[in-house]
Amino acid sequence: GVVHGKLSANGRRNGIVSFVHAKTGEELAHGVGVLNLYRLFSSNRRFGDAARSWPVQTKLLSDGSVEVLYPSTDERPFEIRSIYHLSAANAVDLQIEVTPAEDLPEFELFQSSYFNPAMTGRIYVKPPFVSQGPPKFLSPDYHDMIAGTYLMFPRDEAAIRMIHDGRWRCPPHPVQWSFSQWMAAPLAVRTDPKSGVTAALMAPVEDCFALAAPYNRTPPDGIAGHGSLYFSLFGRDLPKSKTARTRMRFVVLDGFDTDQVVQSYAHFATSKN
């Protein structure tokens, strides 16, 4: 009774393509949807264009979860098994398993989610190291210094080195990133400014080395207006035949409250599933 929606896993759009907040009737998802797998990289290497359009095999599991399998190919030397599970009345969990067919140095799964463009984004960041104070949610608003670039919020300096190893220059559609502040945790939200309905995305800090988003700008340009949030997952060497695992959670809240969102993340971070 809190949300209802639709999961698409047909090799054309793989993700939650509809997610409606029942109380307000608001559609939160947009375009290719939420919690879809996007770009795949290893060191200075990109695998194809977008995993969300790769052929998949699907299976309905006995507990109502949906398994989406991306088979390994010569061009994509890894198998990905993702499981979507309604973990609460207002939350969906995504479990991801990657099994490489060869060694993959500094492997990255760049996960994307696209929300109603009317929803404004916020990223959970640390204060500058010369400042004092707790982490906060930062609204990535437009400035001339970042015009035409997307914004990246890395975990640490090692993450910046990996982001700049050449992977994001590989075609098609290379991306230039601007860096601002360090993420405090892999936690980001989009909020409807009228109703306050908030969608929160989260991942374990050990498995997510950066968050990314377009800036907010009215009227939108070629960067703003996507309604997107991105999570850079794994960011470590994956040995051949050894399965690596991570997870994400998508939580819908009636309003935006920093304490409530942070508590949702703390519950997720300490849970086993």
Side-chain angles (χ1 to χ4, degrees):
V2 178
V3 295
H4 59 87
K6 179 181 180 181
L7 171 67
S8 173
N10 55 17
R12 295 185 301 275
R13 293 197 302 169
N14 301 326
I16 300 171
V17 295
S18 176
F19 212 66
V20 177
H21 183 251
K23 185 185 296 185
T24 61
E26 290 186 45
E27 173 62 77
L28 307 183
H30 178 71
V32 295
V34 179
L35 290 180
N36 56 72
L37 313 188
Y38 189 11
R39 298 189 183 184
L40 282 298
F41 304 98
S42 62
S43 294
N44 195 23
R45 183 181 180 187
R46 177 173 169 177
F47 300 100
D49 184 10
R52 60 195 181 205
S53 60
W54 292 348
V56 294
Q57 301 168 10
T58 59
K59 182 190 299 184
L60 181 64
L61 305 182
S62 59
D63 64 353
S65 302
V66 176
E67 176 186 288
V68 182
L69 183 71
Y70 300 75
S72 175
T73 69
D74 291 341
E75 294 76 26
R76 305 188 295 271
F78 46 80
E79 177 186 272
I80 302 178
R81 179 175 178 260
S82 58
I83 298 176
Y84 293 84
H85 176 66
L86 191 67
S87 56
N90 65 334
V92 173
D93 282 11
L94 173 61
Q95 301 176 41
I96 303 170
E97 298 180 355
V98 180
T99 304
E102 62 182 53
D103 291 343
L104 297 174
E106 296 186 328
F107 179 80
E108 174 183 358
L109 193 162
F110 189 70
Q111 183 276 334
S112 63
S113 293
Y114 296 85
F115 295 94
N116 186 326
M119 302 174 76
T120 56
R122 294 183 179 93
I123 310 294
Y124 196 50
V125 301
K126 296 179 180 178
F129 70 87
V130 295
S131 304
Q132 301 293 324
K136 68 175 183 179
F137 281 98
L138 175 71
S139 179
D141 295 327
Y142 174 82
H143 189 279
D144 286 346
M145 290 181 65
I146 57 174
T149 68
Y150 282 83
L151 309 182
M152 185 77 82
F153 300 86
R155 182 178 58 196
D156 49 32
E157 292 182 0
I160 293 179
R161 180 191 59 76
M162 189 159 40
I163 293 162
H164 277 318
D165 73 353
R167 64 186 64 198
W168 283 103
R169 293 181 180 271
C170 297
H173 311 302
V175 177
Q176 181 175 339
W177 298 104
S178 290
F179 298 90
S180 174
Q181 292 174 247
W182 305 110
M183 71 173 184
L187 177 60
V189 302
R190 282 200 172 270
T191 300
D192 184 89
K194 294 182 179 180
S195 68
V197 173
T198 295
L201 287 175
M202 54 197 72
V205 68
E206 64 272 16
D207 294 333
C208 179
F209 64 90
L211 302 177
Y215 44 69
N216 300 319
R217 186 185 187 189
T218 303
D221 56 12
I223 303 297
H226 284 199
S228 50
L229 293 171
Y230 305 97
F231 282 58
S232 291
L233 302 176
F234 294 106
R236 59 181 185 269
D237 297 346
L238 300 190
K240 178 181 178 180
S241 302
K242 186 174 181 180
T243 299
R245 297 174 175 84
T246 191
R247 60 198 178 99
M248 292 187 65
R249 179 168 290 171
F250 170 32
V251 180
V252 178
L253 303 169
D254 287 343
F256 175 72
D257 177 86
T258 296
D259 290 342
Q260 186 181 24
V261 176
V262 172
Q263 287 170 8
S264 294
Y265 179 77
H267 181 265
F268 164 78
T270 56
S271 64
K272 294 183 179 180
N273 298 313

